[in-house]
Amino acid sequence: MVIYIGVIRLKSDYENNAKIIKALADPSRLKIIDILSCGERCACEILKHFDFTQPTLSHHMKVLADCGLVESRKEGVWNYYNLNTTNCNKLILFLMNLITDTEDCICKDKPKSTCE
Amino acid sequence: MVIYIGVIRLKSDYENNAKIIKALADPSRLKIIDILSCGERCACEILKHFDFTQPTLSHHMKVLADCGLVESRKEGVWNYYNLNTTNCNKLILFLMNLITDTEDCICKDKPKSTCE
DNA sequence: ACTCTATATAGATGGTCATCTATATAGGGG
DNA sequence: CCCCTATATAGATGACCATCTATATAGAGT
């Protein structure tokens, strides 16, 4: 017997994922993700790809790390960064579920409205 | 003979996609996408799912329509909205490419750096 | 023509954000 | 112990954004 347990998307699902998406909603941070997709990089190496200053990169890396898309590792003075691919995949999965007409949609308890 | 033509990601790719992602970086707009994933809805029906005012919804729908994630259709006084699934899929594909270590990465012209 | 409803526009407000400069911290090498 | 380099923090600034109220537009029914 298979019991299908529908996943109800909560307010917090939208909020938490919006936070992560907000972290991605910046051209520089998209480029950083692109760079890290090739493997681990240290901060000073990443910085070479950009025109902005070091404190600005520090800010961007903090944003990406805080939302879990990126992980960091300290080695002496150097900070190495890695993609957290699990969390990246989770975000993409969330988006794919969002745009797909699934059983767990917010609308399933209502008839198709045409504003009668 | 197969000639592989690498796709170089341009500054404008990051910028354009960041704009679309920015449109998604809001809990209310994620919820709107979720609602529209079940099919066409009119503005007044979407509004019922939220606590904010009608002008605020009008603003959100404009943001989603301007970036191409949503399409609208006028019928008398009513505005009907639909997901533009092609563009939604394009965005997700962009993200999947971004986090994948592909040949067309920004880093491929440089050796793996360890900041020597 | 009048009124009701659906939607858009204008302008204001309080909050957040990317970026900067200046400065602090902290590890490594001579 | 001092200096150089890597990184973080603080504080400021200008831009943008979500939301509101007030008002305009515009279609539909009586």
Side-chain angles (χ1 to χ4, degrees), chain A residues 68-81:
Chain A
L69 292 175
V70 157
E71 277 167 349
S72 69
R73 178 175 72 80
K74 200 143 195 163
E75 201 178 305
V77 262
W78 290 282
N79 264 17
Y80 291 94
Y81 292 96

Side-chain angles (χ1 to χ4, degrees), chain B residues 4-116:
Chain B
Y4 180 82
I5 302 180
V7 180
I8 297 170
R9 239 189 290 283
L10 302 171
K11 194 160 175 279
S12 57
D13 289 320
Y14 299 117
E15 287 169 356
N16 294 337
N17 281 289
K19 268 179 208 162
I20 301 173
I21 295 169
K22 192 167 290 177
L24 276 181
D26 180 277
S28 302
R29 290 199 288 263
L30 285 181
K31 192 169 164 183
I32 291 169
I33 297 286
D34 203 5
I35 293 168
L36 293 182
S37 74
C38 305
E40 190 172 68
R41 289 289 184 280
C42 86
C44 56
E45 172 65 21
I46 299 172
L47 186 58
K48 288 176 192 163
H49 291 276
F50 295 97
D51 291 328
F52 51 60
T53 61
Q54 173 269 320
T56 299
L57 178 67
S58 185
H59 161 71
H60 284 311
M61 298 318 295
K62 191 163 161 32
V63 171
L64 289 171
D66 283 352
C67 77
L69 291 174
V70 156
E71 278 167 349
S72 69
R73 178 174 73 80
K74 200 143 197 163
E75 201 177 304
V77 262
W78 289 282
N79 264 15
Y80 289 96
Y81 292 96
N82 258 299
L83 268 199
N84 182 322
T85 36
T86 302
N87 287 342
C88 290
N89 286 330
K90 276 184 185 169
L91 177 67
I92 290 176
L93 198 56
F94 169 80
L95 289 175
M96 294 178 77
N97 272 302
L98 199 74
I99 70 165
T100 305
D101 183 4
T102 47
E103 286 304 314
D104 59 323
C105 175
I106 196 175
C107 298
K108 285 298 182 246
D109 53 339
K110 303 212 175 192
K112 281 226 169 192
S113 167
T114 52
C115 285
E116 60 267 10

